[in-house]
Amino acid sequence: MPYVWLDVERDEEGARLRDLAGARPEDLPLVLVPDGETLRAPTPVAVATALGLRTRAERDLYDLCIVGGGPAGLAAAVYAASEGLSTVIVEHDAPGGQAGQSAAIENYLGFPRGLSGSDLAQRAIAQARRFGAEMVLARDVVALEARGLARAVRLDGAEDIEARSVVLATGVSYRRLGAPGLDTLVGRGVQYGSNAGQAAACAGDEVYVVGAANSAGQAVLNLARYAERVTLVVRGESLEAGMSQYLVERIRADPRIRVLCTTEVVGADGDGHLERLTLSDRHTGASTEVDAAWLFVYIGATPRTDWLGADIVRDEHGFVVTGHDLVTGPHARGWTLARPPFALETSLPGVFAAGDVRSDSMKRVASAVGEGSMSVYFVHRYLATI
Ligand SMILES: Cc1cc2nc3c(=O)[nH]c(=O)nc-3n(C[C@H](O)[C@H](O)[C@H](O)COP(=O)(O)OP(=O)(O)OC[C@H]3O[C@@H](n4cnc5c(N)ncnc54)[C@H](O)[C@@H]3O)c2cc1C
C-alpha cells in the first residue's frame, strides 16, 4: 500500500492536517484514507479494514492454511495455490516478514546486485494473489487444534479457520534489551528489528545500533546513508566474530560509522522520544551518557511458538521439531502414526513447519523460500493419505 508518512513535529503539512482533524496527542497516529474517515490511533485491523484489505477468511474449509506471511509462508502460498489447493495465509502484521525489513538482500539467488526485502515481498504477494491464494491480514493466530481430520486455526477475537492441512511459517521475533527506560520508548526512537524504510526518518540525527550479526551490519550501513552519525554498539571484543567480512569492511570504510566494542546499553531516557542513552564499558565498568535520537536493536531472535499446544513438539529454544528429528535424536517424541513423518511434518500429522520457525533451519531468505515451496509437496502427499 503506497503511503506518505508525515511527522507532525517536523513537517508543516503534518501539523496542518493534524490541526484540520482537531487531533489531540492521544489521537496520533492519524491515518487519512482517501475517501474514508480519519482514523485516530487505530489498531492494525482497523487500518487494514479501512484500506479494504481482507481481515476474515471467506470459506469454511481450506485445503491449506498457512500461518505467517514471510518468505516461507508466501512461497508455500504460491506453490499451493498454483497447484490448485484452496489456500489461505493468515498474517498478523503485513506480509513480508523479517525479509520485508531488509534494505538489501544480497545473497538471494538470481539478484547479483541484491534486492530490497520489500521489493521481494511485494512481488511474492502479487504472485500468490495471482494464483488465487487468500490473505487474511492484521490477524494473529493464537491456537491450533485437531478436529478429526480437520486442523482448526484460532484467530484473535475467537474466530476459527479450518483446513485439511497447515503450514506453520511464523518465523522469529527480536529479543528485547533489558535496560531500564527502554521499554517505554519502544516505537518512540527505540526500534526492534525495524523496517528499512524508517532509515529516512533519521535524517541528520545521532543514531545508535546494538548488535553484532549481519542484520545489525546491514542496518548500520543503511542508516548511515541518512543519519548524521551511526554508532554500532557491540558487547564482544570485535565485529569479525559474528559478521560477514564484506559487511565489516564496508562499515570500517564508512566515515559516518563508528564501532564501540565491549560496550553495552544500560539505560535510556527521553521525554516522549528517545533523547539519551547510557553506555557502559564492559571492561572498566565506566558509564557514559550520550545524546541519541534513535536506537535500533538487533540482538538475536526467538521463535513465536508460545501459542502452540503440547501436540506440537518444540526443541529447548521453542523451535518446531519436524520430520526425521521426531523419531530419532534428542527431540524424538510425540510421533504417533505407524508411517514415518514426512520431511517438514510436525508431531501433529498434517501440520508442517517451514522457514526460521523450524528447528535446525538455516535462517535465510532462500532456505525459507525453499522450505515453504517444499512443504507443499508434502502437503499433497499427506492429503493423499487421508
Ligand atoms: C534486517 C534483516 C536483514 C536480513 N537480511 C538477510 C539477507 O540479506 N539474506 C538472507 O538470506 N536473510 C536475511 N535475513 C533473514 C531472513 O529475513 C529470514 O531468514 C527470513 O525472513 C525467514 O522467513 P520466514 O518466512 O521463515 O519467517 P519471517 O520472515 O520471520 O516471517 C514470519 C511471519 O509470520 C508472522 N507471524 C508470526 N506469528 C504469527 C501468528 N501467530 N499469527 C499470524 N502471523 C504470524 C510474522 O508477522 C511474519 O510476517 C534478514 C533478517 C532481518 C531481520
Side-chain angles (χ1 to χ4, degrees):
M1 283 286 166
Y3 68 94
V4 178
W5 175 266
L6 297 172
D7 186 326
V8 292
E9 284 170 6
R10 294 185 179 201
D11 304 308
E12 262 178 43
E13 181 62 0
R16 192 184 73 80
L17 291 169
R18 174 201 55 196
D19 295 344
L20 213 61
R24 294 157 301 166
E26 59 270 30
D27 293 335
L28 299 177
L30 284 183
V31 180
L32 281 69
V33 188
D35 305 326
E37 60 176 307
T38 298
L39 309 178
R40 290 158 199 271
T43 60
V45 183
V47 177
T49 309
L51 292 173
L53 299 174
R54 196 189 297 279
T55 56
R56 307 194 113 93
E58 269 204 339
R59 303 185 190 208
D60 294 331
L61 180 70
Y62 293 82
D63 292 323
L64 174 61
C65 174
I66 299 161
V67 187
L74 288 167
V78 166
Y79 281 88
S82 69
E83 289 168 15
L85 299 179
S86 56
T87 304
V88 61
I89 299 193
V90 187
E91 165 55 54
H92 96 128
D93 200 342
Q98 296 167 72
Q101 300 162 8
S102 177
I105 300 169
E106 304 213 20
N107 53 359
Y108 192 64
L109 186 72
F111 293 87
R113 287 168 197 272
L115 84 166
S116 77
S118 60
D119 195 8
L120 180 68
Q122 288 307 322
R123 287 161 189 258
I125 294 161
Q127 206 172 5
R129 286 218 168 102
R130 190 163 66 83
F131 286 122
E134 221 180 272
M135 282 189 204
V136 173
L137 300 179
R139 300 298 300 272
D140 220 355
V141 172
V142 295
L144 169 71
E145 65 180 41
R147 289 188 191 152
L149 287 179
R151 304 288 175 252
V153 157
R154 167 141 314 156
L155 308 189
D156 51 340
E159 230 164 281
D160 285 353
I161 299 178
E162 287 195 345
R164 294 186 179 88
S165 61
V166 170
V167 170
L168 302 173
T170 50
V172 292
S173 57
Y174 276 88
R175 286 206 189 97
R176 295 287 179 111
L177 267 185
L182 277 178
D183 278 355
T184 52
L185 294 169
V186 171
R188 298 164 190 272
V190 175
Q191 317 285 340
Y192 285 91
S194 98
N195 194 305
Q198 270 172 319
C202 306
D205 287 340
E206 192 74 36
V207 176
Y208 283 74
V209 176
V210 175
N214 284 356
S215 51
Q218 287 179 357
V220 164
L221 290 167
N222 187 39
L223 290 160
R225 291 163 53 211
Y226 302 92
E228 173 75 19
R229 184 167 64 160
V230 184
T231 304
L232 178 60
V233 179
V234 179
R235 288 184 84 229
E237 302 284 335
S238 79
L239 264 191
E240 278 79 1
M243 200 177 283
S244 297
Q245 194 53 34
Y246 81 95
L247 288 172
V248 176
E249 281 165 16
R250 284 188 207 171
I251 287 172
R252 295 219 193 284
D254 194 324
R256 285 155 306 173
I257 302 176
R258 73 173 169 154
V259 181
L260 295 179
C261 289
T262 65
T263 304
E264 279 177 312
V265 172
V266 293
D269 183 24
D271 183 11
H273 196 276
L274 178 68
E275 290 170 10
R276 279 170 303 280
L277 289 172
T278 311
L279 306 178
S280 166
D281 184 312
R282 297 187 70 219
H283 282 324
T284 63
S287 60
T288 332
E289 210 170 77
V290 292
D291 290 340
W294 301 91
L295 174 70
F296 292 85
V297 184
Y298 299 88
I299 51 166
T302 47
R304 314 175 185 199
T305 53
D306 294 348
W307 56 276
L308 289 168
D311 286 349
I312 307 277
V313 171
R314 272 100 79 194
D315 67 17
E316 62 280 19
H317 303 294
F319 291 94
V320 176
V321 178
T322 55
H324 193 62
D325 291 345
L326 289 166
V327 285
T328 56
H331 307 298
R333 62 180 192 280
W335 182 252
T336 51
L337 300 188
R339 69 162 171 86
F342 295 116
L344 307 185
E345 194 170 21
T346 70
S347 49
L348 182 58
V351 176
F352 298 79
D356 281 14
V357 74
R358 202 176 65 75
S359 177
D360 210 19
S361 65
M362 190 182 160
K363 319 282 184 270
R364 292 285 185 279
V365 177
S367 53
V369 167
E371 290 188 8
S373 318
M374 193 174 130
S375 67
V376 174
Y377 169 66
F378 295 111
V379 164
H380 281 298
R381 289 184 62 185
Y382 166 76
L383 292 177
T385 68
I386 60 172

